Amino acid sequence: MLRVLVLLVTVCLLSGCDKMTAAFTPAPDRINKAFPASEEVQLGMSKLIASVAEDDKEARALKEQYERLLQVRALTCTAASGIGRFDTRSDIRKKVVDGSCFREQDAQLTEWIGLRRVSALLSKPPLYPLAELRGRQALPAEKSRGAGTVGIVTSAESNVAVLKSGSGAFQAVRLPDGKPLQTFTVANNARPGFSLSPNGRLFAAPSDAGPGLKLIDVETGTVLWTTDKYLGLVTWLPTLNAMVLLQSTQGQQAVIVDALNGKETGYPLAEKRPTWALALPGNESRRLIGGSSSAAIMAHAREPDGTLSATQVGFWRLAKSVPSSSSPFLMENGKKAFYLDARNLAWIDLATGEQGFWETSALHVQHGYAKLNESTVFFSSSVPGSYTGQGKVIDVQQGTVAPVPNYQQGDGVLLPLTPRSGYMRYGTVTTIGGDDIESGPPEDLQKAIAAAQLEKQLAKLVTTTSGPGATPGGSFAPAPPPLLNHVPQDAHVAVVGVYESKGRGRGADAGRGLNVVRVNVQPASTALVLVLSSYEPVRWVVQNSGRKISAILLSGYHESEALGAVGVPVLKIGSTYAYKMESAEYEKLKRDVGRYVSNPVRSFQGSYAGQEFSVSGF
């Protein structure tokens, strides 16, 4: 009997009867054989496995996850088809008439494979290790006339850059020798949002078909992932295998996306449309992220259950506005963030929240500023009435500016290499360089700004012979001298403003008693004029660590007092109060201060309810 059964099975198999085979084959396998994954999915998966070939454990895990996804694909698309145990591939194809579900599932598989390929590259070491740029070096010239380099995108931790030509093409190169790596075609090359991953292996660019994003393998030029769900990339998070992206929906909210599975998590950022991000030193997952009007320190983590989290641990309203085309940069080993406002240089101290602003546009800044090292920035300036230009270096710690004697106007436009240090100049020849720029004798930055502003005013007066304030001879009456004539010319003026003290009581019975606000003055070699402003009465307690304070100027709607600075003259200069730099009250307060001292305001700190401030030795 057994021999007869074996014979019957053998005959059945040889005659093409695959019902028996179907009975011993899992349904998902039969379904996927009837409707195999697309060639794009299969090719992408083979490339993904090849990218992790050196890690057997990772390769096995990816294959297992892929098989599970294929099973989900099969069962999802045949849930209503009633696939039986003995159904063959041909039977299944007859039962499932509509193949749109499989196409949708394949699109999801393609996205998962693309993100996993992104994750595999994101976690690799730098394509070319980061090294300092010493001396100016020329980069390869473009072959086509008029298509020379006009822009550059760099990575934070590698010697890789992507050059943008005048024709809109993009070429990845190795620095500093400019060795070509790959050339990319980007249809929306005029859009912002290009970014290199920290290790220089991934290039983020706008997608070719409408709003969206694509990520490209820098080494091969292969497009790994394309999405219309996200409009742009805010920052890379390599240690977490994640990215912060902008949704392409109305409002363009930021989300954190897990490159391991494509899941997104809400992002608790006050700035609704962040345009820039800076990696903070000392913590691989912390970023300073902001937009035009605010900045926040965000901490990111992968929780024990594998989910991603983002927490806001610091937030500031910026005193000035950051243009969308500008990228802030860190100085003093991450202590301060600098940014541009109409070619003026503004900054925020990330430890104290103190903000400052230099009206450097008076120095005829032509473009932006290139960070040379942790204390100096390089910029080019025009010479009024001349076609020549000048190079200058600002020391942000010393508050000085110095000329660059060997500056060549013909070297072309100056651009920064943010987020790394260094600069690029593009003209007839494209060059890059580091921090070995020689500079001449420095002078006080504020004095240089004041001199430039005065020169501009005098130039206007030369062409004016009449008008309000003019004397019969055509000259203007001089401004009255400041009331405080003992203040040194290099004294720094710092403003601290609040509406009220943080500890003030509330309600009808709170009264207007004096509440304490502390001001800690850090050591410095230059003298200080301290301006203290409030609406409510405040007892300002000044704790000086040895700095010379020339005067304390009080301004406020109600009476306040200043204690702690023994021997320092304290004067009430008016009733103006200001706790926001961008307010009209702040401008009026500066005019009030100008009646007492000729020195310009160097820094401002403000808060509606303040408790303690620190004035650094700028």
Side-chain angles (χ1 to χ4, degrees), residues 210-411:
L213 178 71
K214 64 179 180 180
L215 300 186
I216 306 171
D217 183 337
V218 169
E219 202 168 14
T220 65
T222 304
V223 177
L224 302 179
W225 185 56
T226 301
T227 176
D228 58 2
K229 188 177 180 180
Y230 305 106
L231 182 67
L233 185 142
V234 179
T235 188
W236 310 85
L237 298 170
T239 58
L240 301 179
N241 274 303
M243 300 166 285
V244 177
L245 304 175
L246 281 179
Q247 292 178 323
S248 56
T249 55
Q250 187 176 5
Q252 299 174 4
Q253 295 283 341
V255 292
I256 183 170
V257 176
D258 194 335
L260 297 179
N261 52 34
K263 293 181 180 179
E264 68 175 43
T265 305
Y267 206 68
L269 190 67
E271 184 74 42
K272 296 302 180 183
R273 192 179 185 278
T275 56
W276 55 269
L278 302 173
L280 296 175
N283 191 312
E284 294 179 333
S285 65
R286 287 204 171 195
R287 298 289 186 270
L288 179 68
I289 298 180
S292 62
S293 60
S294 67
I297 294 180
M298 301 295 297
H300 309 89
R302 188 174 287 278
E303 303 300 331
D305 63 357
T307 60
L308 295 170
S309 66
T311 307
Q312 182 174 289
V313 295
F315 176 80
W316 301 273
R317 286 289 176 190
L318 296 176
K320 297 295 181 179
S321 178
V322 182
S324 59
S325 59
S326 174
S327 180
F329 52 95
L330 296 173
M331 299 289 289
E332 300 182 35
N333 297 308
K335 179 183 177 184
K336 292 181 179 179
F338 282 75
Y339 61 95
L340 305 187
D341 174 76
R343 298 187 182 177
N344 293 304
L345 199 55
W347 54 265
I348 177 171
D349 190 313
L350 302 181
T352 66
E354 181 180 2
Q355 299 194 49
F357 177 71
W358 289 316
E359 295 183 275
T360 46
S361 61
L363 303 178
H364 309 288
V365 180
Q366 287 184 308
H367 302 284
Y369 301 80
K371 173 184 173 180
L372 299 181
N373 51 48
E374 294 303 318
S375 61
T376 60
V377 292
F378 177 36
F379 70 96
S380 59
S381 66
S382 61
V383 178
S386 171
Y387 289 104
T388 62
Q390 295 177 331
K392 294 183 179 179
V393 173
I394 292 176
D395 188 314
V396 299
Q397 291 180 319
Q398 301 299 323
T400 61
V401 60
V404 177
N406 59 351
Y407 182 83
Q408 298 294 323
Q409 173 72 6
D411 285 350

Side-chain angles (χ1 to χ4, degrees), residues 2 19 101 155 207 222 239 273 360 427 432 483 511 580 609 613:
L2 180 60
K19 293 288 186 178
C101 176
S155 60
S207 66
T222 304
T239 58
R273 192 179 185 278
T360 46
I432 58 144
L483 297 176
K580 292 182 178 180
F613 298 86

Side-chain angles (χ1 to χ4, degrees), residues 86 171 570:
F86 294 97
Q171 184 179 53
V570 179

Side-chain angles (χ1 to χ4, degrees), residues 511-530:
R512 297 198 180 276
L514 292 172
N515 289 273
V516 171
V517 176
R518 299 184 182 277
V519 180
N520 302 311
V521 178
Q522 305 300 320
S525 59
T526 54
L528 176 70
V529 174
L530 197 56

